[in-house]
Amino acid sequence: MDDKMTEQITSAEEAAATVSASSEGKLLPNKKKQWTVSSVTSMLLALIPLIGFVLFSGVTLVVSFIIMFSDADLYNLQQGFSWNNFEGFKAVFVSGWANTNLALNISKYFYRACGITLWVASTQFVTLAIALAISVLLATKPFGGKVFQILFFVPYICSSVAVSIMWRWIFSSDEAGVLNTILGTNIAWSYTPSTMTWTIVIAIIWQAPGYGIVMYKAALANIDKEQYEAAALDGAVGFKKFWYITLPGIAPTTFYLMLAGVNTGLLTYDIAALMIPSGWGSDVGGTENMGLTLMRLVYYLMGDDVAQLDPAVLSSASVISWTLFFVTAVIAYLLFRQRQKSMEG
C-alpha cells in the first residue's frame, strides 16, 4: 500500500512540475532576434557571392536555356526571343542538316567533337593511374622523395598557356621542333590528323598527374599501418596488400579524383585551342576537325563571324552546352551511385 501511495505522489509531483514549467513558458515574453551591426555586416558579406552568382551565372543560365528554343541576338537581347521550332536541336542532332542561310553542317562538327572530347576525357584515367603509381613509389620514402614530389607538382601549377606553348615548340615542324630534331624527321605533328589529337593527350598527361600525386600521397599516409602488419601475419605480401588494403583505403580519394578528372576532361578547351590551329572552312579545330572538342565548338559557334549570320547557330551552341551539362551530371550520378554501392557492400 505504501508503495502505491509513493508512486501516486511521485506522479502527481511530476505532473505539477510539467504544468508549472508550461505555465512559466507562457508567461515568458517572446524574445525577438535583435539585429546588430555585426550580424547585418555578416549577412551582407555572405550575400556577396550569392548576388555574384545570380548576376553572372544564374541569369546567363536562364538566358541560355531560353535560347535553346528561340532565336535571339546575343548582342541585343532587348529585341526579345522568338520561337524557332527546335531549329537548334535539329542542327545539332539531325545528321546532314544544314542551315539555309549558312552552309554550316553543325551536326558533323558535333559528332566529331563528341569523339574527340571522349578521347581526351579518357586520358584522365591514364593520369590517375600514373599519379597512383608515383604516389606508391614516393610512399616508400626514397632518397630525394620530397624533391621529386615538388618536381612532379610543378606541371600542374604551370599555366595552361605556358604548357601549350612548350608543347607546341616540342611538336613544331620547323627546325626548332624538339621532337623532330631528336627523331631526325620533319613531321607536322600539330597539323597531321593522325597525330593531332595525340599532341593534346600527351600535353594533358604531362600536366595532370601532379595534383593526384599530392592527394594520393596524403591518402596513403592516413591508412592504418596496423592493417599492413595484420595482413603480413596472415601471409599477405606485395600485390595482395595493395589490392586488399591500399586500394580500399584510398577509395574516397580515387572517387574524388575520378569525378574531378572526368569533369575537367569533358570541359577541355584551353590546351586544345592553344596547341591546335583554329582551321578554317570545313577544318574547324584543325585538319579534319581532329582538335575540335565540345567546348571549342561552342566557342566557335558563338564567335562574331558565325553567330551573327543566323540565330539558329547561337541556339545550337546553347543546345551543345546543356547537352554537355547533362552528360556530366549523369556521369557524376553514376559515379556516386557506384561509390554508394561499394560502401554498402
Side-chain angles (χ1 to χ4, degrees), residues 48-101:
I48 291 176
L50 179 61
I51 295 173
F53 172 80
V54 172
L55 292 178
F56 299 105
S57 297
V59 174
T60 55
L61 285 174
V62 174
V63 172
S64 67
F65 184 82
I66 296 174
I67 289 179
M68 281 198 299
F69 308 96
S70 59
D71 293 336
D73 185 355
L74 181 63
Y75 299 97
N76 189 11
L77 295 178
Q78 294 179 353
Q79 292 183 358
F81 306 91
S82 59
W83 171 255
N84 65 2
N85 196 27
F86 298 105
E87 287 296 314
F89 288 88
K90 295 175 184 177
V92 174
F93 297 110
V94 178
S95 180
W97 183 94
N99 188 272
T100 55
N101 299 326

Side-chain angles (χ1 to χ4, degrees), residues 258-278:
M258 187 179 299
L259 185 62
V262 171
N263 181 65
T264 302
L266 292 175
L267 299 178
T268 299
Y269 170 76
D270 46 3
I271 290 183
L274 292 169
M275 288 192 60
I276 306 301
S278 298

Side-chain angles (χ1 to χ4, degrees), residues 255 258-259 330-340:
F255 169 74
M258 187 179 299
L259 185 62
V330 169
I331 293 176
Y333 169 76
L334 294 176
L335 289 175
F336 271 107
R337 188 176 179 181
Q338 183 63 34
R339 171 61 180 161
Q340 187 66 27

Side-chain angles (χ1 to χ4, degrees), residues 121-129 211-212 215-216 250-266 328 331-332 334-336 338-339:
S122 64
T123 62
Q124 298 297 327
F125 297 100
V126 178
T127 61
L128 202 64
Y211 181 70
M215 295 292 290
Y216 270 135
I250 62 174
T253 303
T254 301
F255 169 74
Y256 167 74
L257 292 175
M258 187 179 299
L259 185 62
V262 171
N263 181 65
T264 302
L266 292 175
T328 306
I331 293 176
L334 294 176
L335 289 175
F336 271 107
Q338 183 63 34
R339 171 61 180 161

Side-chain angles (χ1 to χ4, degrees), residues 23 27 66 78 84 141-142 158 178 219 229 254 256 286:
S23 61
L27 293 175
I66 296 174
Q78 294 179 353
N84 65 2
K141 298 181 179 181
C158 287
V178 176
E229 296 174 359
T254 301
Y256 167 74

Side-chain angles (χ1 to χ4, degrees), residues 17 33 52 67 83 89 91 98 135 141 153 155 166 178 183 189 201 222 231 246 271 291 306 312 342 345:
K33 186 176 181 179
I67 289 179
W83 171 255
F89 288 88
S135 300
K141 298 181 179 181
F153 191 70
M166 183 192 72
V178 176
L183 299 178
W189 304 97
V201 169
N222 289 329
T246 304
I271 290 183
V306 179
S342 63

